[in-house]
Amino acid sequence: MNVHRFIVNALTFARVPLIFAWLACAVMQEFRGGFALAAVACVMMLLSGLTDLWDGNLARRWGVVSTLGKMADPLMDKIFYIVAFPALAWQIMHQGESNAHALVMTFFTILYMLRDTWVTFLRSVGTLYGADVAAMWLGKVRTALSFPGAGWVYVYCCFHRQAPASWNGAWLVSCYVVEGILVVLTVWSLLTYSAAYWPYLRKALERK
């Protein structure tokens, strides 16, 4: 067995148990409170996000980039989104302190899911015609920023009630800014992928 390849694949797939560990800790912390649970949850989300950085860098450094890795990495990212963003929307709503923020986070989550589903479809069509389905730079930027973005919103949800009241307004605004940047990147990415894959989609539509 190639040890380097095993380590890289293990890091890629570790994103899933780590984000589910975050979910379990985050839900328990929401009902039971306590700094320890919040700290453990933060560490789990941090490690889950870092696996996306580590696996790709190590795969390139060790020369073990594989087709499985290229397919598994975006799938693990999608599982992160599917778990983290709806849970954050629920947490904001459960706290009941900002209906507007809960609505924004819900819209944000739906947009993320729609974009990823559409891009997956486009890539599937592209493979019919030998298209290069590697992630575009804009998609990579969006993914890289999504992990710290989710973490920032979670830290706010955990600790804003313990922070000085004078901080809360600015902290909430910072969450809106983070979410707004990610929404812009998501829409931009969706349009970029659609334009790039339109020739293949048109061929598929015209195919008998």
Side-chain angles (χ1 to χ4, degrees):
M1 176 184 293
N2 187 313
V3 175
H4 287 166
R5 189 182 303 277
F6 174 81
I7 293 172
V8 168
N9 288 334
L11 284 171
T12 299
F13 287 99
R15 204 165 307 145
V16 172
L18 286 169
I19 198 58
F20 275 103
W22 165 81
L23 178 64
C25 292
V27 171
M28 286 191 292
Q29 194 276 335
E30 186 64 26
F31 286 107
R32 295 171 54 183
F35 178 81
L37 275 173
V40 171
C42 288
V43 170
M44 292 299 103
M45 178 173 274
L46 175 63
L47 290 175
S48 183
L50 286 175
T51 60
D52 184 60
L53 175 65
W54 291 336
D55 63 357
N57 285 340
L58 290 176
R60 289 186 290 273
R61 180 182 300 178
W62 291 336
V64 292
V65 176
S66 65
T67 301
L68 174 64
K70 291 179 180 179
M71 295 173 65
D73 190 59
L75 176 61
M76 299 303 106
D77 294 341
K78 289 176 177 60
I79 293 175
F80 179 97
Y81 304 150
I82 290 170
V83 174
F85 294 140
L88 289 172
W90 167 81
Q91 187 174 20
I92 294 167
M93 184 171 58
H94 182 261
Q95 292 180 0
E97 296 192 29
S98 176
N99 289 331
H101 193 198
L103 185 61
V104 167
M105 196 68 206
T106 300
F107 168 77
F108 173 92
T109 300
I110 293 170
L111 179 63
Y112 251 71
M113 298 304 105
L114 288 175
R115 181 270 181 197
D116 282 6
T117 302
W118 176 245
V119 170
T120 298
F121 167 72
L122 291 176
R123 282 173 167 161
S124 298
V125 172
T127 58
L128 298 175
Y129 301 97
D132 180 4
V133 296
M136 297 180 181
W137 71 268
L138 186 58
K140 292 180 179 179
V141 170
R142 169 185 172 267
T143 298
L145 294 179
S146 294
F147 296 110
W152 183 250
V153 175
Y154 179 65
V155 169
Y156 168 80
C157 290
C158 275
F159 301 113
H160 74 97
R161 287 172 289 190
Q162 288 75 43
S166 58
W167 291 14
N168 285 342
W171 204 350
L172 179 58
V173 169
S174 73
C175 290
Y176 283 133
V177 170
V178 168
E179 291 154 12
I181 291 171
L182 291 175
V183 164
V184 170
L185 288 174
T186 297
V187 173
W188 186 9
S189 173
L190 186 151
L191 295 175
T192 301
Y193 273 94
S194 296
Y197 282 88
W198 169 244
Y200 306 111
L201 184 59
R202 184 174 60 188
K203 288 182 181 179
L205 290 170
E206 295 172 350
R207 187 175 181 179
K208 295 182 180 179

